[in-house]
Amino acid sequence: MKIGIESNLLRSLFRNVYFINGTAYAGKSTMVKLLSEKYDGICCGENYHEPLMDAVDEIRQPNLSYIRQLKDWQAFVSRTPQEYAAWIEGCSEEAADLELLMLIRHTASGRRVFVDTNLSPGLLREISDYRHVLFMLAPQEISVNRFFEREDREKQFIYQVLLQSADREKAFENYRECLRAVNSEAQIRAFAESGFYCIYREEARSVSDTLALVEKHFGLDLDR
């Protein structure tokens, strides 16, 4: 473990931590929010490691430092799909220690912690167990085509950057290809074959029904 803590100790510390990873627009953030409200838990939403970003430097964490050094947002959206996907993967790897440190802090409260995480299946296998991890997966085209439907501040900012591109149509198509690279069929397959429980997005299934599936997997339905 990079942060110098053995996996067995982290497993013990994280006995009340519930991890949800997966693809975009699969319902991860919604579930984390609803669970934390229902069970008086701590909600660790997307990018919950932000408070520790001051500790990041461009030598050790070049991907996490990319935005700080960015002088032109058009350069951000005009990267190739391969460059964009590699950056996302690099950010996830570099942020892993920050995520773990934040979670260690939260465990001191004694409350349940619900996490919208980017930690890899391999790392989750080291620090947690089957009943505390699940993956939520959406079809690639839903992850891509509905990406900007949320009122997420960062997503809406990128949307405005794309609108201001010289060739708007080309810019949007390139960014959609970037999203396809991040939410690739290979990535979906890797999650599905990870050995962890997966919930696939179904349009006919309600949010409350999805929540019930999540609760059952985590064993939270036994608390009722």
Side-chain angles (χ1 to χ4, degrees), residues 77-95:
V77 298
S78 63
R79 286 174 293 176
T80 67
Q82 294 76 20
E83 291 171 331
Y84 190 85
W87 173 69
I88 291 291
E89 182 177 356
C91 284
S92 295
E93 292 175 357
E94 293 170 9

Side-chain angles (χ1 to χ4, degrees), residues 100-222:
L100 295 177
L101 288 170
M102 286 297 295
L103 292 176
I104 291 170
R105 287 185 181 182
H106 289 315
T107 58
S109 70
R111 297 161 63 194
R112 292 186 177 97
V113 183
F114 300 98
V115 192
D116 180 352
T117 187
N118 286 316
L119 296 178
S120 69
L123 181 52
L124 289 170
R125 200 171 291 114
E126 290 184 42
I127 65 173
S128 191
D129 59 58
Y130 181 79
R131 284 294 178 183
H132 286 75
V133 177
L134 71 82
F135 293 99
M136 300 190 70
L137 308 175
Q140 184 187 56
E141 287 309 301
I142 288 180
S143 297
V144 172
N145 294 330
R146 301 181 68 174
F147 188 76
F148 292 114
E149 288 186 10
R150 296 188 186 128
E151 292 303 317
D152 179 292
R153 180 173 59 84
E154 293 179 356
K155 290 181 176 62
Q156 292 308 311
F157 175 78
I158 296 301
Y159 183 74
Q160 292 302 317
V161 171
L162 291 167
L163 286 178
Q164 295 165 20
S165 299
D167 189 335
R168 185 183 301 176
E169 184 175 343
K170 181 179 179 181
F172 269 102
E173 182 51 38
N174 179 71
Y175 199 74
R176 282 192 288 269
E177 288 301 318
C178 290
L179 294 175
R180 287 190 182 96
V182 172
N183 300 281
S184 67
E185 295 297 337
Q187 180 66 77
I188 295 172
R189 189 163 55 252
F191 285 140
E193 297 174 356
S194 67
F196 287 113
Y197 182 63
C198 296
I199 294 178
Y200 295 85
R201 182 185 179 97
E202 294 180 9
E203 296 300 324
R205 189 176 60 231
S206 68
V207 172
S208 60
D209 285 344
T210 301
L211 179 61
L213 290 176
V214 175
E215 290 175 300
K216 182 176 182 179
H217 172 67
F218 285 153
L220 298 170
D221 59 330
L222 300 178

